[in-house]
Amino acid sequence: MEVKLSRTPSLPPREWSKLRLERFRILVVDDIETNRDLLRRRLTRLGVTDILEAEDGAKALDIIRGTPLDLVLLDIMMPVMTGFDVLEAMGAEGLIERLPVIVISAMNEMEPTVRAIELGAEDFLLKPFDPTLLRARVLATLEKKQLRDEMRAELARKQAELGEARQLQLALAPPSFAQAGLSIDVAMQPAREIGGDLADHQLLPDGRHLLALGDVSGKGAGAALVMARCHALVRSLVGRHDTAALLADPGHAAAAINAELSSNNPSCMFVTMLLGIYDPADGRFDYVRCGHVPPFLRRASGVLERLDTARGLPLGIDPGARYGAATVWLKPGDCLLIVSDGITEAAMPDETLFDDSRVADWLATPQRALAGLVALVREFEAGFPASDDLSALLLCC
Amino acid sequence: MPIMIEELADGVTKIVLSGRIDVAGSAEIDMPMSEVGTSRRAVIVDLSGVTFMASLGLRSIVLAGKAVMRSGGALVLFSPQPAVEEVITVSGIDELFPVCRDEASAISALRSSPG
C-alpha cells in the first residue's frame, strides 16, 4: 500500500528533462494486481508510456527473452518462479548486463534485497512505495541504461571505423612476389587496429625493384596517417618529372621524401626508413638507411652480414638532411631481411627483448616466407600484447 | 617520475631521464621536455638511468632539441647505457645532438656548440 500519496515529488537536483521517457519500455513484475496498477500509475505519471506487466517470474522471463526492454521492476516473492529465479536466469543468459532490474521488496526483507543485488539487480525499492524514491531510482537507472547504450553504440561505431581503417591499411601492403630466381615476401601487423609501420615493394618499369620499410615514431591513428602519407610519397617516386634522377640513387629518393615530410611537421612525427632498389639483372642492391635498423643479409654460404652503413637521419626531422646510399651485390642463394623494431624490440612478459640475435638465428636456416618469423615473435611474446607495430620484407635471390 | 629537471650553474639545464622511455614513459616526459626545449638554451640530458628507449622517446628528445636549436641554443646527451646508445646511433639522432661520456664533457660540448 502506498502511504504518502499526498506528497508531490519535488524536482531532484539532477536534470532529468533530457531523458525522453516515452522512448523507454518498462516491465512491471508482481503477482498482486493492485501493486502492478500502482506502479503503472506512478510510471505513467513520470511520463513513461510503454509499460508491460507480468504476474509471475516465468511470464516475466518470457517477455524479457523476447521483447526489447529498458527496465524491469521485479517483485521477489512470487508464485511459479521467484524474482531470484528470474535474476539467476538473466545472469546465466547474459541478459543482466544490458537490462537493469530494480527489485521490489517489503520493508522487512533486507536480506533478500541484498541477495538480489548480488545476483545483479541494479537497485531496490521498498514497499510501500515512496513516490520520490521511486522516481529517483527509476530515472537514475534509466539514465544509466541510456548512457551505457550510447557508450556501447559509440564504441561499436568506433570499432567499425577502425576495422575499416585497418582493412584499408593492410591493403597498402603489397602481395608477395615470386619469379625465377627472386622472391619477395612482405609482413605487416599493426600492434593496435591501425599502426605506423609501412612495408612496400614496387616493380619499377625498368625491371628493378623498389623496397621500402618504414616505422613512424608513434602509435595509433596519428601514426597511421603519417604512414599513409609516406606510402603515397614512396609510390609517387615513380611518374615524376625527376623520377629517373630520384631512382638512380635511393639517397636522392630519401631526400625528396624527407623534404616533403619535414615541411609542416610541428609534432615532429618522424619516420625511420630503409629504402632500397634491387636490380635482378646483376644483383645490385642500393640502399639508404634513414635512422632504420640495419638489414640482415645471409649469404648463400651461411655468412651473416649487417647492412649498417648508408646511415642518415630519420625522415621528417631536418628538411636539409642529406642521404648517401651504399651498394651491396646479392648473389643467388642470398637472403636479405629488413625488419622494423617491432620485431627486434618485441618483448617477453619479463621485458627480455627478441633482439637481433634471434632474428639472425631465424635467418640462419633457409627461409622464403616471413610467416615463420612472425609466429616466432608472437610465440616469444607469450600472449603479452605487442607494444609496437611489426613489419618485415624478405628478399631471396 | 622518469624525468627530473635541475638548474646548474651558468644557465645550464640538466634533464635526468630514467627507466623505460616506452609509450607510457614518453607520454610522461613529453610535456616537461617540450617546456624545457622552448624556454632554455643550454640543455644536457642525463641518460644513465634509462634502460630502454623507444622511438617515441627519441621523438620527445628531438622535439625538445630542435626547439632549443631554433632559439640558437644546444642540447647534448650523455652517459647512455650501451643498449640505449645503440638505439641513438642506429636512428642517426647523434648527428643532431652530440652524445658524451659524462656530465663534464657534456657541459664542455655545450660550450663548443654553435650558438
Side-chain angles (χ1 to χ4, degrees):
Chain A
M1 280 304 291
E2 194 171 353
V3 287
K4 295 173 182 167
L5 272 176
S6 58
R7 211 169 107 193
T8 313
S10 56
L11 265 178
R14 313 272 302 271
E15 199 180 324
W16 300 113
S17 56
K18 281 185 190 144
L19 280 180
R20 310 251 319 257
L21 287 163
E22 69 280 3
R23 287 162 60 173
F24 292 111
R25 181 183 288 151
I26 297 182
L27 172 64
V28 174
V29 189
D30 200 312
D31 55 322
I32 299 165
E33 197 181 350
T34 50
N35 282 345
R36 295 201 301 273
D37 284 347
L38 179 64
L39 282 168
R40 176 185 279 277
R41 275 206 311 279
R42 283 279 166 223
L43 292 171
T44 308
R45 208 172 296 171
L46 289 181
V48 180
T49 51
D50 197 349
I51 302 165
L52 305 179
E53 291 182 22
E55 69 238 35
D56 62 58
K59 292 204 175 82
L61 212 46
D62 279 346
I63 297 176
I64 289 168
R65 286 184 183 131
T67 319
L69 295 166
D70 297 294
L71 173 63
V72 180
L73 297 180
L74 180 67
D75 188 24
I76 293 181
M77 296 309 166
M78 291 181 293
V80 187
M81 193 178 193
T82 67
F84 294 135
D85 299 331
V86 174
L87 285 168
E88 264 168 21
M90 285 178 74
E93 293 169 34
L95 299 166
I96 200 88
E97 282 89 37
R98 293 188 172 223
L99 177 58
V101 175
I102 296 178
V103 289
I104 296 160
S105 46
M107 269 308 190
N108 56 358
E109 294 183 329
M110 222 40 218
E111 218 170 293
T113 306
V114 170
R115 190 174 154 209
I117 298 280
E118 282 168 356
L119 285 171
E122 182 95 26
D123 209 340
F124 67 98
L125 274 170
L126 298 178
K127 284 188 277 194
F129 304 116
D130 178 284
T132 302
L133 283 183
L134 175 78
R135 175 190 158 86
R137 292 196 176 156
V138 166
L139 293 184
T141 307
L142 287 176
E143 189 188 39
K144 247 193 275 179
K145 159 87 161 57
Q146 179 170 300
L147 288 175
R148 278 183 207 148
D149 286 352
E150 284 169 5
M151 223 169 65
R152 233 176 248 129
E154 179 65 14
L155 203 66
R157 191 184 64 74
K158 283 200 176 126
Q159 211 59 47
E161 254 179 38
L162 277 174
E164 198 179 355
R166 178 184 175 85
Q167 288 312 313
L168 288 169
Q169 182 167 55
L170 292 179
L172 290 179
S176 311
F177 175 91
Q179 67 178 36
L182 176 65
S183 73
I184 296 172
D185 194 22
V186 183
M188 192 172 86
Q189 292 195 353
R192 300 187 193 161
E193 281 83 353
I194 47 179
D197 270 12
L198 136 122
D200 198 25
H201 158 237
Q202 279 183 85
L203 178 55
L204 300 173
D206 60 11
R208 292 184 302 157
H209 294 263
L210 178 66
L211 301 175
L213 194 97
D215 181 356
V216 180
S217 65
K219 303 269 170 299
L225 281 173
V226 176
M227 174 273 183
R229 192 173 166 208
C230 272
H231 183 271
L233 287 170
V234 170
R235 285 285 161 130
S236 67
L237 290 171
V238 182
R240 294 166 54 140
H241 71 278
D242 53 355
T243 289
L246 292 180
L247 295 181
D249 179 344
H252 296 163
I257 297 173
N258 177 58
E260 190 62 40
L261 277 182
S262 307
S263 61
N264 272 327
N265 186 9
S267 66
C268 202
M269 217 180 238
F270 60 74
V271 185
T272 71
M273 188 182 284
L274 191 294
L275 201 61
I277 298 175
Y278 174 65
D279 190 345
D282 54 7
R284 180 185 176 127
F285 182 70
D286 296 312
Y287 70 97
V288 62
R289 200 163 58 78
C290 315
H292 202 81
V293 188
F296 299 77
L297 173 59
R298 183 183 52 76
R299 295 297 188 179
S301 63
V303 171
L304 185 86
E305 297 171 19
R306 292 298 293 273
L307 309 189
D308 52 6
T309 54
R311 194 186 73 144
L313 274 179
L315 304 170
I317 293 180
D318 176 4
R322 291 169 173 273
Y323 297 93
T327 303
V328 286
W329 298 87
L330 306 185
K331 299 181 189 70
D334 288 353
C335 256
L336 174 71
L337 173 66
I338 310 166
V339 299
S340 71
D341 60 9
I343 289 185
T344 50
E345 289 175 8
M348 261 163 62
D350 71 358
E351 294 181 355
T352 309
L353 299 184
F354 191 77
D355 235 329
D356 295 359
S357 60
R358 286 184 179 82
V359 179
D361 288 349
W362 176 79
L363 193 61
T365 56
Q367 304 291 349
R368 296 234 152 216
L370 287 164
L373 178 62
V374 174
L376 210 59
V377 169
R378 296 300 176 222
E379 192 185 312
F380 182 79
E381 289 169 329
F384 201 55
S387 67
D388 201 356
D389 309 320
L390 172 163
S391 60
L393 277 169
L394 179 68
L395 181 151
C396 297
C397 328
Chain B
M1 227 8 213
I3 181 164
M4 273 170 35
I5 295 162
E6 280 173 47
E7 298 298 338
L8 308 181
D10 302 328
V12 174
T13 302
K14 178 164 87 167
I15 298 177
V16 183
L17 299 180
S18 58
R20 289 175 61 80
I21 312 294
D22 50 11
V23 179
S26 62
E28 282 192 69
I29 70 168
D30 271 354
M31 280 291 283
M33 287 288 285
S34 87
E35 207 179 299
V36 170
T38 48
S39 61
R40 306 290 194 279
R41 299 183 68 173
V43 181
I44 57 174
V45 184
D46 182 350
L47 297 172
S48 60
V50 176
T51 52
F52 177 78
M53 174 76 76
S55 65
L56 275 171
L58 289 181
R59 181 175 136 210
S60 197
I61 293 176
V62 170
L63 262 175
K66 282 184 76 175
V68 172
M69 280 152 68
R70 261 198 304 277
S71 59
L75 179 141
V76 178
L77 308 170
F78 72 94
S79 301
Q81 294 179 19
V84 173
E85 182 164 20
E86 196 190 324
V87 169
I88 291 170
T89 45
V90 161
S91 70
I93 298 297
D94 55 338
E95 283 186 19
L96 284 179
F97 316 114
V99 182
C100 297
R101 243 177 324 112
D102 51 38
E103 184 170 330
S105 48
I107 290 174
S108 54
L110 272 183
R111 307 268 173 260
S112 56
S113 286

